[in-house]
Amino acid sequence: MDAHDDAPEERFTAEEYAFLRFARFGRLPERVLPAEMVEEIKTDRPQDVPEQAFDVRVWGEAGRLL
């Protein structure tokens, strides 16, 4: 028999859950209105990734430099 089987089940009200969320996470920031939103434009170029970053001839089967 598990020790948790006969333990009383604790139930919370919606207000108690709201308080527990506030105690754990704090206050949420104010809502951003659609008029205050701006469009984000990415200006950095994506990094060039080599076609084969892992060359077995150089690094060997186990990933160690030969």
Side-chain angles (χ1 to χ4, degrees), residues 21-63:
R21 277 193 303 274
F22 174 77
R24 182 171 182 186
F25 301 110
R27 218 177 90 117
L28 291 174
E30 294 298 320
R31 182 174 179 256
V32 178
L33 299 174
E36 298 171 340
M37 294 182 186
V38 295
E39 184 176 348
E40 182 179 301
I41 300 173
K42 303 245 183 209
T43 57
D44 293 338
R45 281 188 27 198
Q47 292 181 342
D48 294 331
V49 178
E51 288 185 24
Q52 184 166 355
F54 181 73
D55 190 353
V56 177
R57 293 172 295 173
V58 175
W59 293 97
E61 292 292 329

